[in-house]
Amino acid sequence: MKKRLLFSMVAGMFVLAVNAQNTPSIIKKVELQNADFSQGDPVTTTIRTYDYDMPDNGAGSDGEGLFGMQPIEGWTANYPSDNIKVMNTSSDPAREDGANAKDNVLGMVAVWGSDIKYTQEVSLPAGDYMLIVKVFNGAGTGTLTKNNMGFATADKSYVSSKTTYPASTWTNDTIFFQLAAATTGNVQLGYAFNSGSGSAPHLFIDAVELYQIDP
């Protein structure tokens, strides 16, 4: 009995040690601009997934409707929209913006080959990093063509391995990466999808957090 108890204690201590080693300690938080999307007014106008659904007055929607990737303070869209109706839209990205009763969130939905990214450039010293993207999927459980959540340089991308996000659920999507030298790159948010809006994930990002860690 004593031997069994001793073995159980040793095994338990081993599990605790492994768990402790897998929990990174934070060295410092990297400050990002508008990381919680609190800057700027949320969009309240309808955003279309197809620009040909917008009102056609020849020069744009005049606020009656919006299409595609809208401007977000501190972040750069890879395909910013001019909100003008153009009939050839099969490969254009689409984005939805939303807000709950208390806070702004960044919302996005990609359809029919869209590959959308919002990026923010940062310069980081050598070290280990943890990026956390707080995501809510409002609807749609289709498989992503590509996940763009992560950090990218000119030579390499460190992105989420998730191919789906469960509907009606908050997910802390966590991405770890290591930089051997001081590096300038982009924190990026988005995804690619190749089907219609019925199955496309409707993602709402509440906040983005970047930490330098001691692994």
Side-chain angles (χ1 to χ4, degrees):
M1 178 64 71
K2 290 182 179 179
K3 291 182 179 179
R4 289 180 181 176
L5 285 174
L6 179 61
F7 176 77
S8 297
M9 291 175 64
V10 171
M13 292 169 65
F14 174 75
V15 170
L16 288 174
V18 169
N19 288 339
Q21 289 174 359
N22 289 339
T23 303
S25 57
I26 294 171
I27 295 175
K28 67 176 181 179
K29 183 176 183 179
V30 179
E31 295 300 329
L32 300 175
Q33 184 179 352
N34 200 18
D36 61 357
F37 310 105
S38 60
Q39 299 173 24
D41 296 323
V43 174
T44 57
T45 304
T46 299
I47 299 180
R48 316 286 183 172
T49 53
Y50 307 101
D51 69 349
Y52 54 73
D53 289 334
M54 291 170 55
D56 187 4
N57 58 18
S61 66
D62 291 337
E64 296 177 19
L66 300 171
F67 162 76
M69 302 180 75
Q70 303 301 309
I72 302 294
E73 290 189 31
W75 299 87
T76 301
N78 60 335
Y79 294 109
S81 175
D82 58 9
N83 296 311
I84 294 177
K85 184 171 184 175
V86 179
M87 293 306 294
N88 183 16
T89 63
S90 60
S91 63
D92 287 347
R95 174 186 176 276
E96 292 182 346
D97 207 351
N100 57 32
K102 296 182 179 179
D103 303 304
N104 296 349
V105 295
L106 169 61
M108 58 182 68
V109 55
V111 295
W112 299 120
S114 303
D115 187 354
I116 58 179
K117 294 178 189 175
Y118 280 91
T119 61
Q120 183 173 145
E121 186 177 87
V122 292
S123 295
L124 302 174
D128 294 87
Y129 291 87
M130 176 175 65
L131 178 69
I132 302 173
V133 184
K134 299 181 178 181
V135 183
F136 180 82
N137 184 8
T141 57
T143 301
L144 309 186
T145 306
K146 183 170 63 172
N147 195 324
N148 291 326
M149 308 291 187
F151 177 79
T153 68
D155 302 318
K156 191 170 183 179
S157 296
Y158 310 87
V159 297
S160 170
S161 61
K162 292 186 182 300
T163 57
T164 59
Y165 290 91
S168 304
T169 302
W170 282 100
T171 301
N172 280 348
D173 199 354
T174 305
I175 301 98
F176 293 94
F177 60 95
Q178 185 180 65
L179 302 176
T183 303
T184 297
N186 287 311
V187 174
Q188 58 182 39
L189 309 171
Y191 70 99
F193 191 71
N194 196 28
S195 190
S197 57
S199 58
H202 291 56
L203 303 184
F204 296 89
I205 300 173
D206 182 60
V208 184
E209 298 173 353
L210 178 60
Y211 300 95
Q212 186 176 5
I213 60 171
D214 180 356

